[in-house]
mmCIF file of all heavy atoms in Angstrom:
data_model
loop_
_atom_site.group_PDB
_atom_site.id
_atom_site.type_symbol
_atom_site.label_atom_id
_atom_site.label_comp_id
_atom_site.label_asym_id
_atom_site.label_seq_id
_atom_site.Cartn_x
_atom_site.Cartn_y
_atom_site.Cartn_z
ATOM 1 N N HIS A 99 91.324 -43.359 102.254
ATOM 2 C CA HIS A 99 92.707 -43.486 101.726
ATOM 3 C C HIS A 99 93.144 -44.872 101.872
ATOM 4 O O HIS A 99 94.225 -45.263 101.681
ATOM 5 C CB HIS A 99 93.582 -42.637 102.558
ATOM 6 C CG HIS A 99 93.471 -41.226 102.284
ATOM 7 N ND1 HIS A 99 92.546 -40.466 102.717
ATOM 8 C CD2 HIS A 99 94.189 -40.324 101.713
ATOM 9 C CE1 HIS A 99 92.577 -39.133 102.454
ATOM 10 N NE2 HIS A 99 93.704 -39.071 101.869
ATOM 11 N N HIS A 100 92.188 -45.780 102.012
ATOM 12 C CA HIS A 100 92.439 -47.195 102.010
ATOM 13 C C HIS A 100 93.323 -47.631 103.146
ATOM 14 O O HIS A 100 94.200 -48.586 102.956
ATOM 15 C CB HIS A 100 92.938 -47.784 100.675
ATOM 16 C CG HIS A 100 92.126 -47.369 99.559
ATOM 17 N ND1 HIS A 100 90.828 -47.931 99.214
ATOM 18 C CD2 HIS A 100 92.171 -46.447 98.586
ATOM 19 C CE1 HIS A 100 90.316 -47.414 98.172
ATOM 20 N NE2 HIS A 100 91.114 -46.343 97.671
ATOM 21 N N VAL A 101 93.220 -46.905 104.243
ATOM 22 C CA VAL A 101 94.100 -47.234 105.466
ATOM 23 C C VAL A 101 93.120 -47.687 106.525
ATOM 24 O O VAL A 101 92.269 -46.922 106.902
ATOM 25 C CB VAL A 101 94.952 -46.090 105.923
ATOM 26 C CG1 VAL A 101 95.670 -46.310 107.189
ATOM 27 C CG2 VAL A 101 95.920 -45.702 104.823
ATOM 28 N N ARG A 102 93.289 -48.783 107.091
ATOM 29 C CA ARG A 102 92.402 -49.373 108.168
ATOM 30 C C ARG A 102 93.272 -49.362 109.467
ATOM 31 O O ARG A 102 94.386 -49.888 109.576
ATOM 32 C CB ARG A 102 91.984 -50.660 107.938
ATOM 33 C CG ARG A 102 90.973 -50.771 106.710
ATOM 34 C CD ARG A 102 90.221 -52.125 106.548
ATOM 35 N NE ARG A 102 89.361 -52.076 105.413
ATOM 36 C CZ ARG A 102 88.185 -51.568 105.404
ATOM 37 N NH1 ARG A 102 87.647 -51.019 106.418
ATOM 38 N NH2 ARG A 102 87.461 -51.693 104.263
ATOM 39 N N LEU A 103 92.750 -48.678 110.576
ATOM 40 C CA LEU A 103 93.408 -48.492 111.732
ATOM 41 C C LEU A 103 92.598 -49.039 112.830
ATOM 42 O O LEU A 103 91.430 -48.994 112.876
ATOM 43 C CB LEU A 103 93.701 -46.997 112.028
ATOM 44 C CG LEU A 103 94.578 -46.308 111.003
ATOM 45 C CD1 LEU A 103 94.597 -44.733 111.437
ATOM 46 C CD2 LEU A 103 96.035 -46.780 110.930
ATOM 47 N N PRO A 104 93.273 -49.714 113.865
ATOM 48 C CA PRO A 104 92.477 -50.142 115.016
ATOM 49 C C PRO A 104 92.167 -48.920 115.785
ATOM 50 O O PRO A 104 92.569 -47.924 115.700
ATOM 51 C CB PRO A 104 93.633 -50.997 115.807
ATOM 52 C CG PRO A 104 94.915 -50.511 115.270
ATOM 53 C CD PRO A 104 94.698 -50.182 113.924
ATOM 54 N N ASP A 105 91.129 -49.247 116.710
ATOM 55 C CA ASP A 105 90.484 -48.185 117.443
ATOM 56 C C ASP A 105 91.465 -47.330 118.290
ATOM 57 O O ASP A 105 91.462 -46.090 118.327
ATOM 58 C CB ASP A 105 89.436 -48.753 118.400
ATOM 59 C CG ASP A 105 88.225 -49.324 117.626
ATOM 60 O OD1 ASP A 105 88.072 -48.827 116.379
ATOM 61 O OD2 ASP A 105 87.368 -49.850 118.274
ATOM 62 N N ALA A 106 92.543 -47.978 118.855
ATOM 63 C CA ALA A 106 93.543 -47.322 119.732
ATOM 64 C C ALA A 106 94.318 -46.293 118.835
ATOM 65 O O ALA A 106 94.658 -45.266 119.317
ATOM 66 C CB ALA A 106 94.392 -48.394 120.366
ATOM 67 N N ALA A 107 94.702 -46.776 117.636
ATOM 68 C CA ALA A 107 95.515 -45.944 116.682
ATOM 69 C C ALA A 107 94.627 -44.760 116.303
ATOM 70 O O ALA A 107 95.236 -43.627 116.164
ATOM 71 C CB ALA A 107 95.968 -46.823 115.478
ATOM 72 N N VAL A 108 93.382 -44.898 115.951
ATOM 73 C CA VAL A 108 92.509 -43.777 115.623
ATOM 74 C C VAL A 108 92.516 -42.869 116.707
ATOM 75 O O VAL A 108 92.477 -41.582 116.552
ATOM 76 C CB VAL A 108 91.196 -44.254 115.212
ATOM 77 C CG1 VAL A 108 90.127 -43.103 115.007
ATOM 78 C CG2 VAL A 108 91.135 -45.073 113.935
ATOM 79 N N ALA A 109 92.277 -43.344 117.935
ATOM 80 C CA ALA A 109 92.158 -42.457 119.186
ATOM 81 C C ALA A 109 93.440 -41.592 119.343
ATOM 82 O O ALA A 109 93.504 -40.416 119.580
ATOM 83 C CB ALA A 109 91.766 -43.230 120.343
ATOM 84 N N ALA A 110 94.635 -42.335 119.098
ATOM 85 C CA ALA A 110 95.945 -41.550 119.337
ATOM 86 C C ALA A 110 96.162 -40.641 118.237
ATOM 87 O O ALA A 110 96.665 -39.534 118.507
ATOM 88 C CB ALA A 110 97.044 -42.740 119.351
ATOM 89 N N LEU A 111 95.778 -40.924 117.053
ATOM 90 C CA LEU A 111 95.981 -40.033 115.936
ATOM 91 C C LEU A 111 95.036 -38.836 116.180
ATOM 92 O O LEU A 111 95.548 -37.614 115.835
ATOM 93 C CB LEU A 111 95.696 -40.705 114.613
ATOM 94 C CG LEU A 111 95.899 -39.849 113.394
ATOM 95 C CD1 LEU A 111 97.205 -39.371 113.250
ATOM 96 C CD2 LEU A 111 95.446 -40.747 112.036
ATOM 97 N N THR A 112 93.847 -38.984 116.448
ATOM 98 C CA THR A 112 92.973 -37.913 116.795
ATOM 99 C C THR A 112 93.434 -37.011 117.827
ATOM 100 O O THR A 112 93.376 -35.758 117.811
ATOM 101 C CB THR A 112 91.563 -38.425 116.935
ATOM 102 O OG1 THR A 112 91.161 -39.295 115.976
ATOM 103 C CG2 THR A 112 90.563 -37.299 117.087
ATOM 104 N N GLU A 113 93.966 -37.640 118.840
ATOM 105 C CA GLU A 113 94.545 -36.797 119.986
ATOM 106 C C GLU A 113 95.678 -35.950 119.690
ATOM 107 O O GLU A 113 95.851 -34.836 119.967
ATOM 108 C CB GLU A 113 94.871 -37.801 121.040
ATOM 109 C CG GLU A 113 95.520 -37.115 122.379
ATOM 110 C CD GLU A 113 94.597 -36.177 123.063
ATOM 111 O OE1 GLU A 113 93.413 -36.172 123.016
ATOM 112 O OE2 GLU A 113 95.221 -35.237 123.734
ATOM 113 N N HIS A 114 96.577 -36.632 118.783
ATOM 114 C CA HIS A 114 97.841 -36.036 118.466
ATOM 115 C C HIS A 114 97.616 -34.799 117.586
ATOM 116 O O HIS A 114 98.296 -33.784 117.616
ATOM 117 C CB HIS A 114 98.702 -37.055 117.723
ATOM 118 C CG HIS A 114 100.048 -36.475 117.284
ATOM 119 N ND1 HIS A 114 100.997 -36.075 118.238
ATOM 120 C CD2 HIS A 114 100.712 -36.338 116.076
ATOM 121 C CE1 HIS A 114 102.179 -35.690 117.601
ATOM 122 N NE2 HIS A 114 102.059 -35.800 116.228
ATOM 123 N N THR A 115 96.662 -34.919 116.670
ATOM 124 C CA THR A 115 96.291 -33.770 115.711
ATOM 125 C C THR A 115 95.226 -32.918 116.251
ATOM 126 O O THR A 115 94.948 -31.801 115.626
ATOM 127 C CB THR A 115 95.774 -34.447 114.291
ATOM 128 O OG1 THR A 115 94.764 -35.131 114.641
ATOM 129 C CG2 THR A 115 96.915 -35.233 113.713
ATOM 130 N N GLN A 116 94.565 -33.300 117.328
ATOM 131 C CA GLN A 116 93.427 -32.587 117.878
ATOM 132 C C GLN A 116 92.290 -32.329 116.912
ATOM 133 O O GLN A 116 91.560 -31.371 116.657
ATOM 134 C CB GLN A 116 93.801 -31.217 118.450
ATOM 135 C CG GLN A 116 94.639 -31.282 119.609
ATOM 136 C CD GLN A 116 93.988 -31.764 120.973
ATOM 137 O OE1 GLN A 116 93.201 -31.042 121.431
ATOM 138 N NE2 GLN A 116 94.254 -33.061 121.339
ATOM 139 N N GLY A 117 92.184 -33.479 115.785
ATOM 140 C CA GLY A 117 91.281 -33.364 114.839
ATOM 141 C C GLY A 117 91.564 -32.419 113.719
ATOM 142 O O GLY A 117 90.571 -32.220 112.883
ATOM 143 N N TRP A 118 92.768 -31.914 113.628
ATOM 144 C CA TRP A 118 93.046 -30.966 112.614
ATOM 145 C C TRP A 118 93.086 -31.686 111.223
ATOM 146 O O TRP A 118 93.764 -32.735 110.941
ATOM 147 C CB TRP A 118 94.476 -30.356 112.878
ATOM 148 C CG TRP A 118 95.019 -29.378 111.747
ATOM 149 C CD1 TRP A 118 94.404 -28.397 110.985
ATOM 150 C CD2 TRP A 118 96.415 -29.273 111.338
ATOM 151 N NE1 TRP A 118 95.084 -27.802 110.172
ATOM 152 C CE2 TRP A 118 96.432 -28.269 110.283
ATOM 153 C CE3 TRP A 118 97.472 -29.969 111.604
ATOM 154 C CZ2 TRP A 118 97.631 -27.971 109.715
ATOM 155 C CZ3 TRP A 118 98.772 -29.742 110.965
ATOM 156 C CH2 TRP A 118 98.730 -28.715 110.022
ATOM 157 N N ALA A 119 92.236 -31.203 110.334
ATOM 158 C CA ALA A 119 91.984 -32.076 109.057
ATOM 159 C C ALA A 119 93.251 -32.209 108.333
ATOM 160 O O ALA A 119 93.541 -33.403 107.738
ATOM 161 C CB ALA A 119 90.915 -31.399 108.287
ATOM 162 N N ALA A 120 94.053 -31.227 108.083
ATOM 163 C CA ALA A 120 95.263 -31.435 107.261
ATOM 164 C C ALA A 120 96.190 -32.451 107.909
ATOM 165 O O ALA A 120 96.848 -33.148 107.244
ATOM 166 C CB ALA A 120 95.960 -30.091 107.066
ATOM 167 N N GLY A 121 96.350 -32.281 109.207
ATOM 168 C CA GLY A 121 97.346 -33.177 109.897
ATOM 169 C C GLY A 121 96.861 -34.691 109.811
ATOM 170 O O GLY A 121 97.605 -35.529 109.506
ATOM 171 N N LEU A 122 95.543 -34.823 109.911
ATOM 172 C CA LEU A 122 94.920 -36.096 109.782
ATOM 173 C C LEU A 122 95.235 -36.712 108.400
ATOM 174 O O LEU A 122 95.639 -37.873 108.184
ATOM 175 C CB LEU A 122 93.543 -36.132 110.114
ATOM 176 C CG LEU A 122 93.168 -36.154 111.567
ATOM 177 C CD1 LEU A 122 91.415 -35.821 111.721
ATOM 178 C CD2 LEU A 122 93.441 -37.438 112.363
ATOM 179 N N ARG A 123 94.803 -35.867 107.427
ATOM 180 C CA ARG A 123 94.728 -36.435 106.102
ATOM 181 C C ARG A 123 96.191 -36.837 105.591
ATOM 182 O O ARG A 123 96.487 -37.865 104.985
ATOM 183 C CB ARG A 123 94.209 -35.447 105.071
ATOM 184 C CG ARG A 123 94.163 -35.966 103.664
ATOM 185 C CD ARG A 123 93.670 -35.154 102.635
ATOM 186 N NE ARG A 123 93.746 -35.785 101.326
ATOM 187 C CZ ARG A 123 94.691 -35.484 100.414
ATOM 188 N NH1 ARG A 123 95.423 -34.487 100.594
ATOM 189 N NH2 ARG A 123 94.814 -36.188 99.234
ATOM 190 N N MET A 124 97.108 -35.876 105.765
ATOM 191 C CA MET A 124 98.467 -36.092 105.453
ATOM 192 C C MET A 124 99.174 -37.210 106.152
ATOM 193 O O MET A 124 100.108 -37.941 105.627
ATOM 194 C CB MET A 124 99.359 -34.829 105.609
ATOM 195 C CG MET A 124 98.764 -33.767 104.454
ATOM 196 S SD MET A 124 99.947 -32.249 104.408
ATOM 197 C CE MET A 124 99.031 -31.362 103.239
ATOM 198 N N THR A 125 98.680 -37.389 107.379
ATOM 199 C CA THR A 125 99.235 -38.578 108.172
ATOM 200 C C THR A 125 98.809 -39.816 107.607
ATOM 201 O O THR A 125 99.663 -40.865 107.268
ATOM 202 C CB THR A 125 98.928 -38.433 109.644
ATOM 203 O OG1 THR A 125 99.482 -37.239 110.164
ATOM 204 C CG2 THR A 125 99.455 -39.703 110.381
ATOM 205 N N VAL A 126 97.457 -39.945 107.375
ATOM 206 C CA VAL A 126 96.992 -41.210 106.688
ATOM 207 C C VAL A 126 97.529 -41.305 105.210
ATOM 208 O O VAL A 126 97.736 -42.546 104.922
ATOM 209 C CB VAL A 126 95.512 -41.262 106.791
ATOM 210 C CG1 VAL A 126 94.967 -41.426 108.164
ATOM 211 C CG2 VAL A 126 94.752 -40.278 106.046
ATOM 212 N N ARG A 127 97.698 -40.300 104.550
ATOM 213 C CA ARG A 127 98.306 -40.347 103.292
ATOM 214 C C ARG A 127 99.669 -40.835 103.400
ATOM 215 O O ARG A 127 100.046 -41.682 102.378
ATOM 216 C CB ARG A 127 98.246 -38.985 102.625
ATOM 217 C CG ARG A 127 98.723 -38.846 101.190
ATOM 218 C CD ARG A 127 98.304 -37.514 100.585
ATOM 219 N NE ARG A 127 98.919 -37.402 99.161
ATOM 220 C CZ ARG A 127 100.065 -36.692 98.926
ATOM 221 N NH1 ARG A 127 100.762 -36.247 100.001
ATOM 222 N NH2 ARG A 127 100.450 -36.699 97.736
ATOM 223 N N ALA A 128 100.558 -40.475 104.259
ATOM 224 C CA ALA A 128 101.791 -40.961 104.407
ATOM 225 C C ALA A 128 101.769 -42.443 104.832
ATOM 226 O O ALA A 128 102.686 -43.178 104.443
ATOM 227 C CB ALA A 128 102.558 -40.067 105.499
ATOM 228 N N MET A 129 100.804 -42.935 105.586
ATOM 229 C CA MET A 129 100.736 -44.251 106.032
ATOM 230 C C MET A 129 100.467 -45.151 104.548
ATOM 231 O O MET A 129 101.001 -46.252 104.455
ATOM 232 C CB MET A 129 99.562 -44.511 106.921
ATOM 233 C CG MET A 129 99.809 -44.012 108.269
ATOM 234 S SD MET A 129 98.227 -44.077 109.195
ATOM 235 C CE MET A 129 98.882 -43.456 110.916
ATOM 236 N N ARG A 130 99.659 -44.558 103.842
ATOM 237 C CA ARG A 130 99.272 -45.172 102.494
ATOM 238 C C ARG A 130 100.511 -45.286 101.687
ATOM 239 O O ARG A 130 100.816 -46.341 101.006
ATOM 240 C CB ARG A 130 98.193 -44.478 101.841
ATOM 241 C CG ARG A 130 97.793 -45.058 100.466
ATOM 242 C CD ARG A 130 97.317 -46.433 100.501
ATOM 243 N NE ARG A 130 96.696 -47.040 99.415
ATOM 244 C CZ ARG A 130 96.409 -48.234 99.218
ATOM 245 N NH1 ARG A 130 96.639 -49.229 100.013
ATOM 246 N NH2 ARG A 130 95.869 -48.721 97.925
ATOM 247 N N HIS A 131 101.309 -44.108 101.570
ATOM 248 C CA HIS A 131 102.513 -44.193 100.716
ATOM 249 C C HIS A 131 103.464 -45.199 101.165
ATOM 250 O O HIS A 131 104.182 -45.736 100.562
ATOM 251 C CB HIS A 131 103.006 -42.708 100.723
ATOM 252 C CG HIS A 131 102.330 -41.722 99.909
ATOM 253 N ND1 HIS A 131 102.777 -40.564 99.476
ATOM 254 C CD2 HIS A 131 101.188 -41.965 99.134
ATOM 255 C CE1 HIS A 131 101.964 -39.927 98.723
ATOM 256 N NE2 HIS A 131 101.019 -40.818 98.480
ATOM 257 N N ARG A 132 103.539 -45.239 102.614
ATOM 258 C CA ARG A 132 104.576 -46.143 103.317
ATOM 259 C C ARG A 132 104.140 -47.541 102.841
ATOM 260 O O ARG A 132 105.094 -48.528 102.627
ATOM 261 C CB ARG A 132 104.498 -45.951 104.793
ATOM 262 C CG ARG A 132 105.612 -46.635 105.542
ATOM 263 C CD ARG A 132 105.662 -46.518 107.052
ATOM 264 N NE ARG A 132 105.600 -45.105 107.380
ATOM 265 C CZ ARG A 132 104.477 -44.536 107.888
ATOM 266 N NH1 ARG A 132 103.480 -45.312 108.333
ATOM 267 N NH2 ARG A 132 104.458 -43.432 108.378
ATOM 268 N N GLN A 133 102.844 -47.968 102.877
ATOM 269 C CA GLN A 133 102.526 -49.229 102.479
ATOM 270 C C GLN A 133 102.942 -49.637 101.039
ATOM 271 O O GLN A 133 103.526 -50.656 100.832
ATOM 272 C CB GLN A 133 100.998 -49.432 102.598
ATOM 273 C CG GLN A 133 100.490 -49.373 103.957
ATOM 274 C CD GLN A 133 98.965 -49.398 103.982
ATOM 275 O OE1 GLN A 133 98.249 -49.332 103.012
ATOM 276 N NE2 GLN A 133 98.318 -49.444 105.271
ATOM 277 N N ARG A 134 102.729 -48.485 100.166
ATOM 278 C CA ARG A 134 103.185 -48.753 98.795
ATOM 279 C C ARG A 134 104.756 -48.894 98.715
ATOM 280 O O ARG A 134 105.160 -49.683 97.834
ATOM 281 C CB ARG A 134 102.693 -47.579 97.893
ATOM 282 C CG ARG A 134 101.092 -47.696 97.835
ATOM 283 C CD ARG A 134 100.602 -46.396 96.984
ATOM 284 N NE ARG A 134 99.195 -46.461 96.730
ATOM 285 C CZ ARG A 134 98.504 -45.598 96.241
ATOM 286 N NH1 ARG A 134 99.160 -44.473 95.879
ATOM 287 N NH2 ARG A 134 97.200 -45.616 96.068
ATOM 288 N N SER A 135 105.456 -47.980 99.436
ATOM 289 C CA SER A 135 106.806 -47.972 99.238
ATOM 290 C C SER A 135 107.437 -49.246 99.815
ATOM 291 O O SER A 135 108.391 -49.814 99.376
ATOM 292 C CB SER A 135 107.486 -46.798 99.908
ATOM 293 O OG SER A 135 107.239 -46.795 101.413
ATOM 294 N N ASP A 136 106.723 -49.819 100.866
ATOM 295 C CA ASP A 136 107.285 -51.093 101.414
ATOM 296 C C ASP A 136 107.080 -52.195 100.317
ATOM 297 O O ASP A 136 107.932 -53.013 100.333
ATOM 298 C CB ASP A 136 106.512 -51.412 102.802
ATOM 299 C CG ASP A 136 106.844 -50.436 103.879
ATOM 300 O OD1 ASP A 136 107.912 -49.795 103.764
ATOM 301 O OD2 ASP A 136 106.111 -50.437 104.781
ATOM 302 N N ALA A 137 105.996 -51.969 99.621
ATOM 303 C CA ALA A 137 105.725 -53.079 98.474
ATOM 304 C C ALA A 137 106.673 -52.887 97.313
ATOM 305 O O ALA A 137 107.076 -53.917 96.759
ATOM 306 C CB ALA A 137 104.343 -53.044 98.205
#
């Protein structure tokens, strides 16, 4: 999704979602949308 995260952020996101695929994908998708909306 063209989102690069530091290791600590990846670990926190994986822990928060417990690896749930939909939760991970929609969170990184929201991050990508936020980057675009900020621009």
